[in-house]
Every structure is written in C-alpha cells, then in structure tokens.
Amino acid sequence: MKKSKHEKMFFLGGNYLKLVLLLFMCILSTTINAQESSVSGKVVDNSGLPLPGVNVHVKGTTKGTQTDFDGNFSITAPSKSTLVFSFIGMDEVSVETENNKNLKVVLKASSQALDEIIVVGYGTKKKSDVISSVASVKPGDMTKVATSDVGEMLRGKAAGVQVTLADGGPGSSSSIQIRGKKSINGSNEPIVIADGIVIGNINDINANDIASLEILKDAAAQSIYGARASNGVILITTKRGKTGKARIAYNGFSGVQTINRNFDIYSGEEFAQLKREAYRTSNNGVYRPDEQVFSPLELESVKSGEYIDWEKYIVRTGVTNNHSLSVSSGNDKSSIFTSLNYINTLGVIPNTDFDKVAMRINVDQRISDWLKIGMNLSLQYSESNRPNVGNILNNAINTSPLGKIYNDDGTFRHLPGGIQETPNPLIDIYETNTNEINRNDIMNVFLDINILKGFTYKLNASRRSWNYKGMSFNSSKSLSGIANSGQGSGSITYKDNVEYQLSNILNYNFNLAEKNHFGATGVYEITSSEYNDFVNTASRIPSDILGIYGLESAFLNTPLIGGNERSLISFAGKLEYDFDSKYYFTVSGRADGSSVFGKNNKWGFFPAVNAAWNVSNENFMKEHVPLISNLKLRASYGKVGNQPQNPYQSMATATQRDYIINGVKVSGYVPGSQLSNPDLKWETSTQLNLAADFGLFKNRLNGTVEVYNTDTSDLLIYETLNANTGYTTKLSNLGKVNNKGLEISLNGDVIKKKDFKLNLGATFTKNKNSIVSIYGKDANGDGKEDDAVGNLWFIGKPIDVYYQYKAVGIYQEGENIPLVTGTTLLPGDIKLYDADPSNGANPNPDQDRVITSKMPDWFGTFSINLEYKQFDFSADIYTVQGITKDNPFLYSYVQGGSLRGVKNGLKQDYWTPENPGGNWPRPRDGNDPPYIYTLGLQDASYVRLQNVSVGFKFPENTLKSLGLNNMRLYVTGSNLITITDFQSYSPEKNVGEYPEPVTCVIGLQVGF
C-alpha cells in the first residue's frame, strides 16, 4: 500500500534519528577532572535583579558554567585563580577567587552593547571595532514575523537590503537585493554563508537556530569573499551548546492565512452591460438584442440573475503551522545543540500545501587546551503540492460570471458560458497536480588549533547535497486533456547537486606597547560542485490510473538530460591595525581562480582598503562634548566580483541534428549559435563607501549614515554578431553600471525603565541605478554612445525600464481626432502623448515614447518595540515609494483587460457616449481598443503594516511553580494592511500571481 506523505516524512525522520544517535555515540564524551575547590555565588544587574545565562569561566582554562534562572552559579577552580563573568550587553567583570568562596557579582550595562561580538569575514570582532559596512539583525526580531521564509523576516530590518516577493505560495522564498541591481545577465542575489559554509538558499536554515545574522554591504567587508561577493554577503552563525544543565526550548505557532485585494471586478450585471457595450460599438452605436449578444447559457444567467463568483470557489482560508524544539547542553569539555523544526502550510488556493522537516546537530568537543573539534549537521526534507497551472488566480478574475459551474450530473462543466475562450477554471485545480520533493543535507566538520598565544588555525570541511524530484500530471479530464482528445500528459524531473568546500584559516592577533593592536588573517579555500538533471516529458497518456507513472504508455516521451561541474580555488588575506581603539586601518584581498571563465582569464584579484577614526575615544570629545557618546567616521574602497550563473558560457555551443542514412536515424552535432570567448572574465564592482556611526545621550539615540558609489564594469552581456560568421551571439565583458545611494538607520530608547521600555527605530534607503556604458558604439557620430533600444538599455537610465507610448486622455465626440496610418481612431479611444504635434499624427517611436524606471525611489521602515511589565508589543511599518509596475490585467485580452466582453477583468470607469468622463477606452467587440497597453503602467508605491506582535511573559513565581525558565504567549499578524494604488492582490505581484498572504497566528515560547 502506498504510504501517505506524512508517513513518508515520519520514516525519513526515523532514518535521520538513527544517524543522530550514531553521531552522539561517536562524539560525545566527557572528561571529569578532579575537583580542587568549589566557588559559588550570585550575579545581578545594577538594580539587583538576578541575571540568568551569564557565562562564568576560569581565566586561562576551558572550565566554565552559566548562572541559573536565579543568577546562581557554582564552579570548581584552582586556588588563587580568576573568574571572568560575561553577558551580552554587559561589561565583562573579573574576580579573584582567593578567600572568596561565596561571591556576589554586579554586571553593568555596556554602552549600547558596543562590545557585542559581530561576525565578519572569516572571523569575529567587537561591534565597536567594526569599520566596514556590516548590518546586524537580531534573531529575536526575525522570529517575531509570522512566516517560515527567513528572507521575508529580513524585510525592513536593515538599510540597503531590499526584500521582494518571489512567490507567495506555500514554501516559497523571497528575493534579496543589497544596494541595487548590478548585473544585467548575471546573478543579483547575495551569497549566504552559514557557519563558514556557502549554502544554496537562506531558507536552508531554521530561523530558530540562528544565533547571529550579519549582512556585509560594502566592498571592504565583502572583498575577502572575492568573486562571489559583488551582490553582498549574508553571514549566519547557528546556535551552539552551552555549559551547564540541559536547556530545552520550544517556539511554535499556528494560524490562518487569507489574501486581500486592492481591486474590484465586474459583477454579473456589470459584466453583462460591458458585453452589451462592446457589441454596441461594433454596431454603429446601436444596442443589439440580448439574444444576439449572449450565448444560451449566458442569457439564462442574465435572465435569472444567478451569477458565478469564481473567487469564492478558488480562494480559501489557509492554515500555517511552525513548530521548533531545541536542546542545549554541555560542560567544560563537550557541548551539543540539537533542534527539530516542522512546518506545515495549506495554501489559500485549494490543493496547494507544503510540509518541511528540518534537523540540526551542532557538536563541540574540547580535546585539550589547544585543540577543539566540532561538527555541524543539517538535514532537511520538504514536499509540496500545487495544481499544474500558473494562472489560477488569473482565471478567478477573468472567467465570465455568466453561465453554470456544473453539469446536471454534478461534474464540472467544461465551458460554463458556452464560450470557448472561458473554460471552467476549477477543472485544473482538481485535475492537475505538481508534486515536488526536496532534500538538502549539509555537514561540516571543523578543527580549531591554538598554535601560540593569539595565533589560531581552523580547518573547515563541508559537503552539501541537494536532491529534487518533481512530478507533474494533467489528467484526461483536465483542460489540456480535453484538448488532447481525453488523454493525459505530464513530466518527471530529477535534479541533484553536490558541493564540497575546504577552508584553511589562519588568524594572528597581537599587541605592541598596549595601544597598538594588530591582526592578520590568511585563507586558502577550495570549492567544487557537480550538478545533474533529467527531465522526461510525456504526451497523450491514455489512462489516468497510474498518473505520471503511466508515462511508459504515452504516445510521445521526450527525455532531456543535462549537467555541469564547476570549481573555485582561492587565496585571501587581511591585515588590520588600530591604535588605542581610535585609529583603524585594514587592507584585504582575495585571488580567485574559477573554472567557469575563459582560458585566458581564469584568475581575478579583488583588493580593498578601509580606515576609520573613532572620534568619541578622543580625550577632547570626552571632556568637552559629553553629549556625544559614540562617533566613528569610516571610509572604504575596494573591488569584488561576480561570475556567470552557469558554467561553460565561455565556450561555443553545438546543436544536435538528426539524419536518416540508409533508413537509419543517425545523430550528429553542428556548430550552435554562440561563439566561444576565451577572454571571458569576472564582472567587477568597485565601491567607495563613506559612513558615520553616532550615539547620543549615552547611546540612548544611535544610528548610522552611509553613502556609497559602486561601478560595476566588464558586464556579462550577450553581444550580437553578424550572422555571416555562422554565429549570432557571444558572451562578452562589456559596459558599466553605476549604483549610488544613501542609507540611514536610527534607533532610540525613548523610555528605559525597569517596568516600561519604549524603543523606536527607522531605516531609509535610496539607491540610484544607471547604465554608464553598454557596447561603446556611436554609429550616428553624435559624440554620445548609442542606446541598445532593442534590449531596452539606455545610457544614463536604470537597467530595468519601460519604454512605450504614454496615454494622456480619451478622445471625445466633436474633438479633432488625427488620422493614424493603419489605425482608425474614434471617440472613446486613447489619446497619446505627442512630443511634437507638427510632425504628424503617427506616433513617433524616437520622440513620443517615454522611458519609465522600474526601480523604487526609496524604501524604508518605522518600527516600535514596547515592554510594560510582563507585556510586550512590536510593530513594523514598511514602505516602498516611487516605483512603477506594469499591470497586464489593465489591458491584456488574456488577463481580461481589453474590454471585449469575453473575459471578466478589473473594473474600470470606461467611456460611453453617456459617460464621456470615463478614463478608460470604449469597449469594442472583436478587437482591443487601440493603444490600450499604454494604460498598464501603475504607481505601485505602498505603505504596509508589515508585522504586529503582542506577547505576555509569565511572571517568575508562575514559572518557578511550573519548573520553567521562561514562557511567552504571543499573537502575531503579518502583512495586515497595505495601502497602495496598484490594482492587485499585492503591489509586488501581478493579479494572477500567488501573492503573499495575510497571516494571523497564536504562538508559544517555552524554555526549561
């Protein structure tokens, strides 16, 4: 009997569990040292409240523990030793143990956590010593967002980081862009590195496992990652086991999802009148009898007043669940962190769902004072289902409301209104399916060696494997099956990718004369990957019994196989110096050799330099400007690279040709359309970054202001060749793109009392993108480089633009309507912008078309965090301004926007002789109104209540009675309200695309 999806996931999890237990048995061992003397005590803050989770360790040894919930601790230590107490956000304290067996230690809050540890390239630094552009996002702020998409959790959390919706369906991921679009044909997504390993997707990490997340934004921070860092770097560090008793933590939520829409469609009565108007236009302004306008089924609806609300059948209330459980434990020799995460989502469209199971094990083993080994293991399995069509919501909008859904026997009616162009959209929801299974396993082992004081070596080796299986099937009763004489179709797809990485990292830190601090980092790294895929498409499957597994009986099977290999070898180095924590200087560089480039340009070098002045550490600032508690000026300049998304693009292509020789099929290959380019190399981004970090009123108000200028040269562009050469294209390094911008981050502790805290934050990002050069040609000799109009690339304009005529109104009766060749314009038709009316009525493609950017002018966030006794409240308002999107539902016949009266669509105020003030053209049967596509551009700016969360932390006496460390009950809503003029379910997606849902959940966080 075939196992259900949940049974398969359970048994797969059982296999993972066996592996986990085996690893436990092999790795976990503890060494018990003879006790010397016991030291105990209590750690409190300034107000006398106990501090749980404070790290306590014996200086110069590996012995350590943590305070319990009441701030108490106990540790064995040699006589005349020193205990060091550290806690995030607090100043570190050292206490001598001699004659102190029962200690009371007071930790004071540090200056806005400037001593917080930040992860940077191949190392860590104190926040106060970071001199490049690094944005740190708190994991606690991320997990307040009611989503399972880690990318979506980053929306609005850092200036310069733009998150947009890729697909709102269950299990989907968002797109992340840092400081603008830099590449035309290459990738614009940042690389994501978790625990030193490059991973495939940010959702390969469970958000509840993240200990820290940093975003590297400028070239000085990115350069040590070289050829892959042009689009930014996201560094993730996962949680590790802590010394002390075992800690168990649970965070889970369950809730519902729905979608909002910012438009209306024509009701049954309104659509019937629209259709009458369309037929009236083609009948010289005279209404036709309804019998000549409507089909019999449509006419029956019109007479009875019974209309179809398709959205009622196509959109439902979705359900989402996310449960995460973790265990952390350890002693002075060994520690382990394990977690299990389960996600289940039923989408807002029927037959769409997503399930995911993720497991993580992080192990650390101290072998000696100079040697530590460890392992990180992540195992993920996910499965999703969705109908095998991409226009479900599209059909909910544009299918005519006239007719009947069902036949008399209760089956779906193929043509509800008897019109061929509007088939029943419910059929494909239930008669098609795409099942996708993903498995993603990441394992890395590492070795830390303390060679000498301040001199460390780390070996990090990893293997990441990704396996994909997709099965799509359209039954004989589906719309495609009906069109193919009642025969099914579908495909099976297999993909796998294996990646290896080996990193050797040397770090050396030392001081001279106390105030001179030096640091050096050296890296040698090798990465390689192998990718394979196989697709078999089957047509005309005669039976539905076996579904896609019946492809053997298909009339036609078309197999397609592919694969590639790529490798990268790298050398990187960084030298750092600071004097008395006042003056900083860093120089870094990385050399990358890649297999994907031409044989003449295998290597690239990416240097960077940055400097900073910590003005607030100057004596004159401390004495004369006490208002300013922190002021640091930073500057950086450097280069980073971007390589093609796919290998072999420097090589010429070949095309298969089949021949019949003596009645036998023989296959061969002929030169393809792409010419080889042995000189193909990296895209290179050169960036200048200037910044100021500041803090006022003892850092109660702090922020950062940054400006940057990035030139990306040697763009990967397909160059058009003369067909007489036998080739039509060649991938070359041409042109230049510029991004310049301003980023502002502000954070203020407005109220900071024991029982009442209020924090406000804001971010602002403005990026200007423009093409500086493309092909470097000046065919007309005007002294200016020619635009590539065919590709919509214009010098001085952004990479992504619209280029089309502009509608400026509707022609009225009695108005002088110009004659246009090939087009008859009538009252009610669209009037176009004419830059020079004297040049004739025909639209001039060179003068009359208008360039409109697709990029936003700016985006930003306003956030509020409030705590009152046991209650907490947080909210994020996100906005994108000055962005224009093309909405095909306003003009396309397929999307129901052309006012023919065949398909329904977005409701508009269209022109008629009785309604001359209508701002949409007059409906007409049979043809689209001339130039109606010019109405498609809409302002897609929006303001959104992105996230609201209300929580209650149970008081200490309740927790003690339950044996818990903490417990918080919360309610969270995401994407609750969106204010926009863009007519769609989402301002980031067209009407027919799966939008991000409105989500409301109730959740629980428990620790014990």
Side-chain angles (χ1 to χ4, degrees):
M1 183 176 69
K2 185 179 179 181
K3 292 186 176 70
S4 70
K5 175 176 63 177
H6 295 286
E7 287 177 315
K8 290 189 290 183
M9 296 184 75
F10 175 80
F11 285 114
L12 181 64
N15 291 332
Y16 284 169
L17 185 58
K18 293 176 184 177
L19 178 59
V20 172
L21 293 175
L22 180 60
L23 290 168
F24 282 174
M25 295 173 64
C26 294
I27 296 177
L28 285 184
S29 62
T30 22
T31 303
I32 302 175
N33 295 323
Q35 294 184 356
E36 298 176 64
S37 62
S38 178
V39 181
S40 60
K42 187 171 187 176
V43 182
V44 298
D45 62 12
N46 282 337
S47 59
L49 294 176
L51 286 175
V54 175
N55 290 310
V56 185
H57 77 272
V58 181
K59 188 174 182 179
T61 74
T62 60
K63 288 186 177 181
T65 186
Q66 284 188 331
T67 58
D68 62 16
F69 182 78
D70 297 315
N72 298 317
F73 72 93
S74 179
I75 190 171
T76 59
S79 59
K80 296 183 180 181
S81 59
T82 301
L83 296 184
V84 180
F85 299 82
S86 60
F87 190 70
I88 293 177
M90 301 285 186
D91 289 329
E92 188 176 275
V93 172
S94 298
V95 178
E96 300 292 336
T97 61
E98 187 176 13
N99 300 322
N100 288 303
K101 303 305 179 184
N102 193 3
L103 302 173
K104 182 175 182 180
V105 180
V106 179
L107 295 186
K108 297 180 180 180
S110 61
S111 300
Q112 193 60 29
L114 288 179
D115 288 333
E116 178 183 347
I117 299 300
I118 300 295
V119 179
V120 294
Y122 298 101
T124 59
K125 295 186 76 66
K126 289 195 301 182
K127 186 175 181 180
S128 58
D129 291 335
V130 174
I131 63 173
S132 52
S133 184
V134 180
S136 183
V137 181
K138 296 179 180 179
D141 292 339
M142 294 170 56
T143 53
K144 286 182 179 179
V145 184
T147 180
S148 301
D149 178 9
V150 180
E152 187 66 22
M153 294 178 184
L154 295 180
R155 185 188 290 260
K157 295 296 191 294
V161 181
Q162 185 179 11
V163 178
T164 55
L165 182 68
D167 175 25
S172 61
S173 299
S174 295
S175 175
I176 302 173
Q177 195 172 99
I178 299 174
R179 291 189 167 180
K181 187 172 184 178
K182 304 176 184 68
S183 180
I184 292 178
N185 289 311
S187 171
N188 282 282
E189 293 278 331
I191 60 170
V192 183
I193 298 174
D195 297 322
I197 304 303
V198 177
I199 61 176
N201 187 286
I202 197 169
N203 285 327
D204 291 347
I205 301 294
N206 171 17
N208 291 283
D209 291 346
I210 297 176
S212 68
L213 185 147
E214 278 75 36
I215 303 169
L216 311 186
K217 298 191 294 182
D218 72 341
Q222 301 162 356
S223 67
I224 201 164
Y225 291 104
R228 296 171 294 177
S230 177
N231 302 310
V233 182
I234 298 177
L235 298 179
I236 295 174
T237 303
T238 57
K239 295 177 181 178
R240 314 207 69 78
K242 296 181 179 179
T243 57
K245 65 179 182 180
R247 293 169 175 81
I248 301 175
Y250 166 81
N251 183 17
F253 62 75
S254 297
V256 295
Q257 295 181 328
T258 185
I259 54 177
N260 287 334
R261 72 179 195 187
N262 184 45
F263 60 90
D264 291 318
I265 61 175
Y266 298 101
S267 65
E269 295 88 348
E270 292 167 338
F271 180 77
Q273 186 59 30
L274 169 64
K275 191 161 188 172
R276 293 187 184 103
E277 290 292 345
Y279 276 76
R280 175 192 182 189
T281 301
S282 61
N283 195 40
N284 297 318
V286 178
Y287 285 111
R288 295 177 183 268
D290 280 358
E291 288 76 13
Q292 296 181 19
V293 175
F294 302 103
S295 71
L297 283 170
E298 289 179 321
L299 189 60
E300 186 177 339
S301 284
V302 171
K303 290 181 177 180
S304 66
E306 296 180 358
Y307 304 109
I308 304 171
D309 180 3
W310 290 107
E311 190 177 274
K312 174 183 176 182
Y313 296 91
I314 293 178
V315 177
R316 67 181 181 184
T317 299
V319 178
T320 182
N321 298 279
N322 190 327
H323 304 283
S324 185
L325 181 68
S326 66
V327 180
S328 172
S329 64
N331 54 32
D332 58 353
K333 290 293 185 181
S334 303
S335 65
I336 184 168
F337 172 85
T338 62
S339 71
L340 178 67
N341 179 226
Y342 173 66
I343 298 170
N344 167 255
T345 302
L346 301 177
V348 296
I349 293 176
N351 285 346
T352 60
D353 60 70
F354 175 75
D355 287 274
K356 180 178 179 180
V357 174
M359 300 179 66
R360 171 169 290 278
I361 307 168
N362 290 347
V363 178
D364 296 276
Q365 177 71 48
R366 173 68 66 179
I367 304 300
S368 66
D369 290 341
W370 58 271
L371 176 61
K372 184 177 78 171
I373 62 173
M375 181 200 68
N376 304 317
L377 177 65
S378 172
L379 308 170
Q380 296 186 39
Y381 176 89
S382 66
E383 183 171 0
S384 65
N385 289 282
R386 56 180 171 81
N388 189 29
V389 288
N391 55 355
I392 296 171
L393 285 175
N394 176 84
N395 293 335
I397 302 304
N398 64 34
T399 303
S400 168
L402 310 180
K404 294 182 177 179
I405 298 177
Y406 301 102
N407 294 309
D408 293 338
D409 61 359
T411 58
F412 288 126
R413 185 181 293 273
H414 176 214
L415 304 175
I419 306 298
Q420 189 68 35
E421 290 93 334
T422 57
N424 193 328
L426 297 178
I427 291 176
D428 276 349
I429 291 181
Y430 298 99
E431 295 296 335
T432 71
N433 184 62
T434 294
N435 173 263
E436 294 180 315
I437 297 174
N438 283 276
R439 177 168 173 170
N440 194 358
D441 302 336
I442 306 172
M443 182 178 71
N444 75 288
V445 294
F446 61 88
L447 180 75
D448 283 338
I449 299 177
N450 294 319
I451 301 174
L452 298 169
K453 182 180 180 181
F455 191 19
T456 63
Y457 166 73
K458 182 169 187 174
L459 174 68
N460 199 356
S462 71
R463 179 185 187 273
R464 173 181 176 267
S465 64
W466 169 69
N467 301 91
Y468 169 89
K469 178 182 179 183
M471 296 180 292
S472 297
F473 182 68
N474 309 310
S475 78
S476 61
K477 298 177 182 178
S478 67
L479 294 180
S480 64
I482 294 171
N484 286 296
S485 304
Q487 294 180 312
S489 61
S491 65
I492 290 183
T493 303
Y494 294 96
K495 299 179 182 180
D496 66 78
N497 188 48
V498 180
E499 299 176 354
Y500 297 92
Q501 179 177 320
L502 179 65
S503 302
N504 297 269
I505 307 164
L506 284 170
N507 281 295
Y508 184 40
N509 295 279
F510 64 96
N511 301 328
L512 287 178
E514 295 186 3
K515 293 184 178 182
N516 296 279
H517 311 298
F518 294 88
T521 300
V523 179
Y524 169 60
E525 193 168 77
I526 301 173
T527 62
S528 67
S529 69
E530 180 179 345
Y531 169 82
N532 296 281
D533 65 50
F534 174 78
V535 182
N536 191 93
T537 303
S539 302
R540 296 172 59 183
I541 301 174
S543 173
D544 294 340
I545 295 176
L546 298 178
I548 190 57
Y549 289 103
L551 59 80
E552 291 180 353
S553 61
F555 176 78
L556 178 64
N557 279 295
T558 306
L560 181 66
I561 189 169
N564 61 65
E565 294 181 359
R566 66 192 307 162
S567 58
L568 185 74
I569 183 170
S570 309
F571 300 90
K574 179 167 61 176
L575 295 174
E576 301 172 286
Y577 169 75
D578 80 80
F579 176 77
D580 199 21
S581 297
K582 295 179 183 179
Y583 315 110
Y584 298 83
F585 180 79
T586 300
V587 60
S588 60
R590 177 166 174 140
D592 284 310
S594 174
S595 64
V596 304
F597 285 99
K599 62 181 181 180
N600 297 335
N601 277 311
K602 289 295 185 183
W603 284 87
F605 180 65
F606 308 97
V609 60
N610 54 327
W613 178 24
N614 199 338
V615 185
S616 54
N617 279 354
E618 297 286 358
N619 291 332
F620 68 85
M621 289 292 292
K622 297 177 181 178
E623 294 176 2
H624 303 293
V625 196
L627 179 70
I628 300 177
S629 47
N630 178 45
L631 178 60
K632 182 165 58 179
L633 305 180
R634 299 186 275 112
S636 69
Y637 182 82
K639 296 177 181 291
V640 283
N642 192 25
Q643 55 184 334
Q645 293 177 282
N646 299 310
Y648 314 133
Q649 294 193 57
S650 65
M651 301 179 181
T653 58
T655 303
Q656 180 179 328
R657 288 287 185 267
D658 296 332
Y659 303 91
I660 303 298
I661 300 177
N662 296 326
V664 179
K665 176 183 174 182
V666 178
S667 295
Y669 292 88
V670 298
S673 60
Q674 182 172 321
L675 179 64
S676 64
N677 183 1
D679 296 319
L680 193 68
K681 58 182 179 181
W682 322 91
E683 292 182 340
T684 301
S685 292
T686 304
Q687 184 178 102
L688 171 67
N689 191 86
L690 303 175
D693 304 318
F694 61 89
L696 306 175
F697 315 112
K698 296 183 179 179
N699 282 340
R700 292 285 292 272
L701 174 64
N702 60 84
T704 298
V705 178
E706 295 193 70
V707 294
Y708 61 87
N709 191 330
T710 306
D711 283 321
T712 303
S713 57
D714 296 324
L715 300 176
L716 296 166
I717 294 179
Y718 285 99
E719 187 177 5
T720 302
L721 305 178
N722 190 324
N724 293 333
T725 64
Y727 300 92
T728 58
T729 61
K730 180 178 74 169
L731 186 61
S732 302
N733 295 106
L734 301 169
K736 180 188 292 186
V737 170
N738 177 264
N739 282 274
K740 59 183 62 174
L742 169 66
E743 298 171 359
I744 302 174
S745 299
L746 295 173
N747 187 73
D749 291 317
V750 180
I751 301 174
K752 196 172 183 180
K753 297 182 179 180
K754 178 180 178 182
D755 290 332
F756 186 28
K757 298 177 182 178
L758 175 62
N759 176 273
L760 301 178
T763 65
F764 172 86
T765 300
K766 182 176 180 61
N767 179 81
K768 182 180 179 182
N769 173 269
S770 60
I771 296 175
V772 179
S773 176
I774 308 173
Y775 298 114
K777 299 178 181 178
D778 181 14
N780 57 10
D782 63 355
K784 298 180 181 179
E785 183 177 338
D786 298 335
D787 299 321
V789 179
N791 292 318
L792 300 183
W793 298 334
F794 300 91
I795 305 301
K797 301 296 181 180
I799 293 175
D800 294 327
V801 298
Y802 302 105
Y803 182 56
Q804 61 186 49
Y805 301 114
K806 181 180 179 180
V808 294
I810 302 294
Y811 286 114
Q812 302 295 325
E813 290 182 333
E815 187 175 354
N816 183 22
I817 302 177
L819 298 176
V820 177
T821 303
T823 303
T824 301
L825 297 177
L826 302 171
D829 284 337
I830 294 170
K831 182 190 300 184
L832 296 182
Y833 164 77
D834 191 349
D836 184 7
S838 65
N839 65 7
N842 286 318
N844 188 310
D846 295 326
Q847 297 180 5
D848 297 340
R849 284 198 272 188
V850 177
I851 298 173
T852 305
S853 172
K854 298 181 182 181
M855 309 288 189
D857 287 340
W858 64 276
F859 59 92
T861 306
F862 175 77
S863 61
I864 178 172
N865 288 276
L866 185 149
E867 294 182 19
Y868 178 70
K869 295 185 177 180
Q870 271 72 51
F871 291 92
D872 62 85
F873 170 84
S874 65
D876 296 317
I877 299 174
Y878 182 72
T879 184
V880 177
Q881 295 296 318
I883 185 170
T884 300
K885 281 181 58 67
D886 180 66
N887 190 345
F889 280 77
L890 301 179
Y891 62 85
S892 169
Y893 169 72
V894 176
Q895 274 79 29
S898 62
L899 302 175
R900 294 194 196 181
V902 177
K903 292 178 177 288
N904 204 351
L906 274 58
K907 184 178 177 180
Q908 306 296 345
D909 182 17
Y910 54 81
W911 189 97
T912 67
E914 297 77 21
N915 182 36
N919 57 8
W920 227 252
R922 185 178 188 176
R924 59 171 66 186
D925 171 52
N927 293 294
D928 296 351
Y931 308 115
I932 189 172
Y933 68 88
T934 62
L935 299 176
L937 299 188
Q938 277 192 318
D939 182 5
S941 303
Y942 67 92
V943 177
R944 173 178 290 164
L945 181 57
Q946 186 71 29
N947 196 71
V948 175
S949 183
V950 179
F952 175 76
K953 297 178 182 178
F954 287 79
E956 291 184 19
N957 54 355
T958 303
L959 296 176
K960 287 182 179 180
S961 65
L962 296 174
L964 302 176
N965 288 335
N966 64 78
M967 183 164 66
R968 176 177 177 264
L969 184 68
Y970 62 91
V971 177
T972 297
S974 295
N975 189 29
L976 295 176
I977 301 172
T978 302
I979 301 172
T980 182
D981 292 331
F982 190 74
Q983 292 178 281
S984 183
Y985 287 104
S986 166
E988 293 187 355
K989 306 299 289 183
N990 288 329
V991 178
E993 299 174 299
Y994 215 127
E996 68 270 48
V998 177
T999 304
C1000 294
V1001 303
I1002 182 169
L1004 180 66
Q1005 295 172 327
V1006 180
F1008 53 92

